Structure formats: C-alpha cells, structure tokens
Amino acid sequence: MSEKNIKRVAISTGGGDAPGLNAVIRAVVRSGLKRGWEVYGVRDGFHGLLLPERYPNGGLFRITNEIVRGITHLGGTILGTSNRNNPLKYPIKMPDGSIQEVDRSDEIVRSFALHNIDTLITVGGDGSLAIANVLMQKGMRVIAVPKTIDNDLDKTDVTFGFDTAVAFATEALDRLHSTAASHGRVLVVEVMGRYAGWIALNAGVSGSADVILIPEIPYDINKVVSKIQEREAMDAHFTLVMVAEGAKPIDGSASVIEHQAGRAERLGGMGEKVAHAIEELSGKETRLVVLGHLLRGGSPTAYDRLIALRLGAAAIRALESGHSGVMVALDPPHVKYVPIQEAIGKMKFVPLDCDTVETARDLGIVFGD
Ligand code: F6P
C-alpha cells in the first residue's frame, strides 16, 4: 500500500484517558486535512464498530477543522474511550451464565471496510497496541500513538499525560504538607501506577514525601513506621507517605478490588491498608487521600500538549512516508518509528538504580526496603 492510496484515515482513542488526547486528535486532523485526506473519529474505543445497533454509522463521524478548534488544552477525549470489552477478548455471556472471551477483530476490520476505511491511527496503551498489531496482520494500515499517565510503556522516552499527573500529585502533596504539619499527622496519598511507580516516585520526590512505596520495591511496613518514629525523635511530628496503587508488601501482593473478563483487573485499596497499618503500629493519627482519577483529568501541561501534538503530527507523517505497523515514539529530540510488535507487552519499570531513586535515598526518603 502506498501513501497515494490514503484517502480516509480513522482515529480512535482506547484505554484510560490521559491529558493530551485531544491535542493528538487535533494534530492528526489538521495534518491529515492539510494533505487532502478525510479524517474520521471512532467513538468510544471500538464500541461503535462492534455495536452497530447502538452507534449509527459504526460510531464513525467525519472530523473537520471546526470540530478540533480550541481543544488542545482540554482534558479527556472528544472521541470517547473505553477500557472494557477488549475486542480480542470480548466477553460474551453464554446461555449457562458463564462468560467466554472471543476475538472480534475480524468484525472490526469488516466494519472499517464497510465504511471504506483502511487506515487507522490508534492512540492507547498496551492493550491498544495489541489490537493494532492484530488489525495490521489482517490487512489494515495502522499507526499507533502511545498513551498512559502511568508512563510504563517501553520504547518511548515518556508518554503524554504523565507530566500533568505528576504536577497535580505534587501540588496535592504541597497542600497536604501544611495540614499534616499543623495537626502532627501522617498523611498517606495514593496515586495511580498499576505496575510501575513513576508517578509516585517523581511526585513524591518533587513534593517532599518522606516515604514512597512503589510496585518495583516491595515494602516492609516496619521500615515505614521506623521512619515515622525517626522523624518524631527529630521533632518532625508529621510524615507524608506516597503510595502507588500497585505497591506491594514484602509478604503480600498488590491490592486487587475487581477481576473482570475483557479488561485488566482493577486495583485499589493499598493506600487504605498502609494508612491503617501505620495508625495501628505507630499510634499516630493518620489520614488517607486517594488522588485516583483526579490524575487523569484536567488541562494537560505545556509539556504534555507539545509531545501530544508532536506525536499526532508524526503519525500522519509516518503514513505519508508509507509506514504501517509502527508506533510513533519520543526519542528526544526526535520522534522515531518503532515496530508495534517490538513495543507490545514491554513495560517500562522504574530502574532501581536510576538517579531519581538514588536522589530520593540521598534526601532520606524511605522506600520501605
Ligand atoms: O490509565 C492507567 C490507569 O491510570 C491505571 O493506573 C489504573 O489502574 C487504571 O488506569 C484505572 O482505570 P479505570 O478506573 O478507568 O478502569
């Protein structure tokens, strides 16, 4: 397939939203229209294509310059998104009430073909990359744009949304610092970070946390309590504890609140467990703040806007130069093209010897190890 065949490009956003998605959409639309191509939005991930009875036109709608005017700074995605009902493992209820996961990717390819679309730009995390890979193998021209506030996708320097999340979590710590100090309390702050602790680490160091618990470093609660006692002895009667939702104790596992077919398991509750244990073991009055989805909302920082716009424009350039099956990735000062197959299933964990971890330790921050 050559770029000369490109007439209609579809764009979809999948997985959890991230500040910067609208900036990607705007860059894709403006760059695509500039080349004389038509750009179509896909509503709510792939739901529209799989549920034609609910979505007119397969959930596809034509995007004009007017539609993307003034959206760069807006959180969320004008297309809608979904992290349920993965088309490769679509949950179907069987007559006996059990759930069976089926691959519905052929139907997606057929739906796109029905609407004369053979080119897709998919913006998403690891799940979206896996779907993109299958669609490519089934003949579609596909470019992937990486996205996650967790910053845990390998093969790209950073993902948009992460900087916004870190800025917000840092501001939250700043605010909690004064109230914790005023009351002489322990404040536990839980942030997103399912498998990797990037948000907890970067915001924790920037916001002067005393303890940071991340999935990469299983924690011993006694070490956390020792830190609180050490601070007490130094006349610091308050402590800030940053906990990634995926943190795990040395003798336990991550706190899962829900298993569901067709989607990743839902995490939650680790902050509460840590806060409860601290209060019990230290006798210190302890409060918990779960930042959760606040981290995914709001206006993207200038940094996130810029990388989102760059990746969106790069996706169109990749198509123009005949690429397919690649993910546009940040490799400062460049954007490079990485084969999607190489990017799938590759997590970027916090390296235990990275400079930020070393800096944290030099500052006296405890990881519970
Ligand atoms: O976007 C990734 C993520 O933020 C994870 O850290 C978190 O576990 C998950 O999304 C929660 O997603 P939701 O509540 O939308 O299912």
Side-chain angles (χ1 to χ4, degrees), residues 23 34 43 60 62 67 84 132 150 198 208 286 334:
K34 194 168 167 241
R43 291 199 196 280
L60 291 159
R62 193 157 168 191
I67 290 176
R84 315 175 73 101
D150 291 355
W198 292 105
S208 305
T286 304
H334 304 290

Side-chain angles (χ1 to χ4, degrees), residues 236-303:
H237 300 291
F238 70 99
T239 299
L240 294 179
V241 180
M242 182 60 115
V243 181
E245 64 178 347
K248 6 178 161 20
I250 37 169
D251 50 357
S253 50
S255 186
V256 177
I257 49 176
E258 196 183 9
H259 293 276
Q260 254 188 14
R263 59 181 302 186
E265 55 192 13
R266 261 179 79 206
L267 299 186
M270 189 47 82
E272 198 177 339
K273 288 179 186 166
V274 168
H276 183 73
I278 287 175
E279 195 158 61
E280 207 167 75
L281 295 172
S282 72
K284 289 285 296 176
E285 196 175 22
T286 304
R287 293 285 186 270
L288 167 70
V289 175
V290 179
L291 294 181
H293 295 80
L294 288 168
L295 297 164
R296 293 225 304 245
S299 188
T301 59
Y303 179 79

Side-chain angles (χ1 to χ4, degrees), residues 163-173 203 291 294-295 297:
D163 185 61
T164 308
V166 169
F168 183 80
T170 303
E171 192 194 330
L173 274 182
L291 294 181
L294 288 168
L295 297 164

